[in-house]
Amino acid sequence: MIAEYDKLDAVAMADLVRRRELKAEELLDEAIARTEARDTVLNAVTTRFFDLARDRIAQGLPDGPLRGVPFLLKDLGVFYAGTKTTSASRLFADFSSPIDSTLAERYVRAGLVIFGKSSLSEFGISATNEPEMFGPCRNPWSLEHTTGGSSGGAAAAVAGGIIPSAHAADGGGSIRIPASHCGLFGLKPTRARVPLGPHISESWAGMTIHHVVTRSVRDSAVLLDVSQGAAPGDPYWAPPPAASYLELTKRDPQRLRIAVSLKSFEAVALDPQVRAGVENAAKLCESLGHQVEWVDPALDDVIPDEEYLQCRADIIHASMYTSLLRRNRQLGRDFSGRDLQRVTALFAEAGREVSAQTYLNAIQTLQRASRALGQQFEKWDVLLGPVCATPPHKLGEVDMESTDLATYKAIARSHTGYTSIWNVAGNPAMSVPLHWSTEGLPIGVQFTGRFGAEDTLYQLAGQIERAAPWADRRPAAFPATS
């Protein structure tokens, strides 16, 4: 047992390996021991390949900035040669890729030791993490509550003390929502900041982006340093950063214009505890010297809520149906309802009816809304608001076996009502763990930056972390052991 393990983030672990005070083998053994001890409760790690990880260490790890740090990949959208990527669906139960994704290659080059895959909702379409294939993933802060989704396994593994950082992905809030529910830091990068290839050119018309959930801001920053940047053949990419994100976290930003808004673009009711978290965060930012003002971002005159929701749904449904057709060709058979959870099947059925004209109209309509939001960001540097409309739900409240898609989506919007708009617009946005409910459940607050401006967010996050640190606040189920 490594006595200080709970106090170490990924940067600190790599530093100890670099100075030969710890070995990569010791860190991996600790992560494996914790997985075996804690995952019987959390159900966060779906696929384990401990021997492969040990073999990679024995072969010699690259001398990257995170050399020797144990790490999990989300079981969706990124491939690690010779390991299964199930997408939490029976339809992909035996799927594996013979080659790595570009992102996996970059993680390996950074020195990370990948030893498993983390749980998610089926195909990542739910904002809770309760796939039928693997069963529900449990929140370390309260085992009766959801971790949020879809990257709930990653968040549970980090909040539960198995590893300090884990890969995640975000198509409508799937980094920020579980970060909020599990008391972690989670930044969704700018659209196309992180490459998806060579298997995927874009996902959900560019709304999906990969990154991580972490305990510390600097872990998130260094992991974006090693993963960001266009790969050969990428159709488009984010503007390159002017400096290392890790270095930026050490510097306070100049005085920022921070707008604060409680407006949702999905017509959801806001819980008073979430409102209090935003108000407290605004006061904290003001105390740090930033200019803070309450605003009401105008988008209704560009696209009404219902049209926004329909256009986004058309893209997601059509993308889901297309992915399933591709799997049909691989399997040589048609998928059936027995292969999928009910809501997933309903998504696919809806996607079957989306015409090319409807799909293109959805993209053009959402791009028009994105430009309107971009113009408003000329007035401020950062927008502060909620991540989710409510504290974490109890498990079972968001039902992937529902036969009523409209009711399912109405409940799900309490998770995505404040997050999905920034997947559409492509702006970077982060969940920062600054508030807890009266039940002791984490409530993150969301900071959104201008397109391409992760540098501003990382500077602000570093400043906030120094002013209101959260690292020592741990769930009662898995407190720090040292």
Side-chain angles (χ1 to χ4, degrees):
M1 177 178 175
I2 299 173
E4 297 294 306
Y5 189 90
D6 284 307
K7 296 181 179 180
L8 301 174
D9 64 1
V11 172
M13 286 183 182
D15 185 55
L16 290 172
V17 171
R18 191 173 301 110
R19 291 191 278 119
R20 300 185 179 182
E21 295 181 27
L22 273 178
K23 295 179 179 179
E25 294 91 339
E26 293 175 298
L27 288 171
L28 177 61
D29 286 345
E30 182 76 20
I32 289 172
R34 287 169 176 246
T35 301
E36 291 175 334
R38 302 183 181 195
D39 204 50
T40 55
V41 175
L42 294 175
N43 196 27
V45 184
T46 60
T47 305
R48 305 174 184 188
F49 33 88
F50 301 158
D51 288 342
L52 175 60
R54 290 189 174 105
D55 287 345
R56 291 290 171 92
I57 293 174
Q59 292 167 15
L61 297 173
D63 190 21
L66 294 169
R67 184 171 180 266
V69 177
F71 196 68
L72 292 171
L73 295 177
K74 183 176 177 177
D75 196 11
L76 173 73
V78 60
F79 306 123
Y80 193 45
T83 67
K84 291 181 180 180
T85 303
T86 72
S87 304
S89 172
R90 289 186 295 270
L91 198 63
F92 284 80
D94 61 352
F95 174 79
S96 64
S97 169
I99 62 173
D100 292 342
S101 293
T102 301
L103 180 56
E105 290 177 349
R106 292 182 179 184
Y107 285 150
V108 169
R109 194 182 310 141
L112 291 167
V113 179
I114 302 169
F115 68 95
K117 303 278 183 79
S118 65
S119 175
L120 68 148
S121 56
E122 187 174 50
F123 292 110
I125 63 172
S126 176
T128 185
N129 189 352
E130 302 173 54
E132 185 179 74
M133 184 174 179
F134 296 116
C137 183
R138 299 184 181 277
N139 192 325
W141 291 86
S142 169
L143 300 178
E144 297 178 352
H145 286 80
T146 178
T147 57
S150 62
S151 306
V158 175
I162 293 173
I163 48 175
S165 308
H167 165 251
D170 192 315
S174 291
I175 289 174
R176 291 158 289 162
I177 294 165
S180 175
H181 284 1
C182 294
L184 303 173
F185 180 78
L187 182 139
K188 177 199 81 69
T190 298
R191 178 170 47 239
R193 171 71 66 203
V194 177
L196 297 178
H199 305 79
I200 303 168
S201 62
E202 66 174 10
S203 179
W204 292 5
M207 289 190 283
T208 299
I209 186 74
H210 290 247
H211 192 33
V212 292
V213 289
T214 64
R215 284 203 296 262
S216 70
V217 173
R218 68 178 186 175
D219 274 7
S220 178
V222 72
L223 279 156
L224 194 56
D225 279 335
V226 303
S227 63
Q228 70 86 30
D234 279 355
Y236 53 85
W237 53 88
S244 157
Y245 294 125
L246 178 59
E247 290 304 311
L248 287 169
T249 64
K250 303 171 186 177
R251 311 177 202 163
D252 287 352
Q254 295 181 344
R255 188 171 191 248
L256 299 174
R257 294 170 297 172
I258 299 179
V260 188
S261 175
L262 301 175
K263 179 180 175 59
S264 166
F265 297 100
E266 297 189 20
V268 294
L270 186 66
D271 187 283
Q273 296 190 82
V274 176
R275 176 189 293 267
V278 174
E279 290 171 347
N280 290 340
K283 292 175 184 175
L284 173 61
C285 290
E286 202 163 30
S287 73
L288 294 173
H290 301 298
Q291 177 185 329
V292 175
E293 62 174 320
W294 287 79
V295 301
D296 185 15
L299 190 60
D300 295 348
D301 55 341
V302 178
I303 177 172
D305 285 351
E306 287 305 314
E307 186 180 2
Y308 162 75
L309 290 169
Q310 186 60 57
C311 287
R312 185 171 172 272
D314 286 339
I315 290 171
I316 295 172
H317 294 163
S319 299
M320 173 65 64
Y321 183 60
T322 301
S323 295
L324 295 177
L325 288 180
R326 189 180 301 117
R327 184 59 173 162
N328 282 352
R329 291 193 292 271
Q330 293 172 341
L331 295 174
R333 68 173 178 85
D334 291 339
F335 66 85
S336 69
R338 293 188 301 274
D339 294 314
L340 305 169
Q341 289 190 259
R342 193 179 302 274
V343 167
T344 309
L346 291 173
F347 271 42
E349 289 171 16
R352 189 196 305 265
E353 305 303 318
V354 176
S355 68
Q357 181 179 354
T358 298
Y359 185 81
L360 287 173
N361 175 71
I363 289 175
Q364 291 167 357
T365 301
L366 293 181
Q367 286 179 352
R368 189 170 71 250
S370 298
R371 291 188 176 98
L373 284 170
Q375 290 172 358
Q376 292 188 56
F377 256 94
E378 295 300 308
K379 305 172 188 175
W380 53 73
D381 301 303
V382 174
L383 178 66
L384 165 62
V387 177
C388 299
T390 68
H393 290 285
K394 286 194 172 182
L395 290 169
E397 291 185 16
V398 184
D399 183 10
M400 282 286 284
E401 294 302 318
S402 173
T403 58
D404 182 349
L405 194 54
T407 300
Y408 167 84
K409 287 185 175 181
I411 298 172
R413 282 175 203 152
S414 66
H415 288 91
T416 63
Y418 290 93
T419 54
S420 69
I421 186 66
W422 304 117
N423 296 81
V424 168
N427 295 51
M430 62 185 183
S431 176
V432 184
L434 289 177
H435 196 65
W436 271 256
S437 74
T438 54
E439 295 179 281
L441 293 168
I443 298 175
V445 294
Q446 181 171 227
F447 294 85
T448 303
R450 292 177 179 170
F451 192 93
E454 287 95 331
D455 52 356
T456 300
L457 292 184
Y458 275 127
Q459 283 187 281
L460 178 60
Q463 183 184 41
I464 290 173
E465 186 181 34
R466 288 186 287 276
W470 56 80
D472 290 337
R473 190 160 187 170
R474 300 297 178 95
F478 299 101
T481 57
S482 55

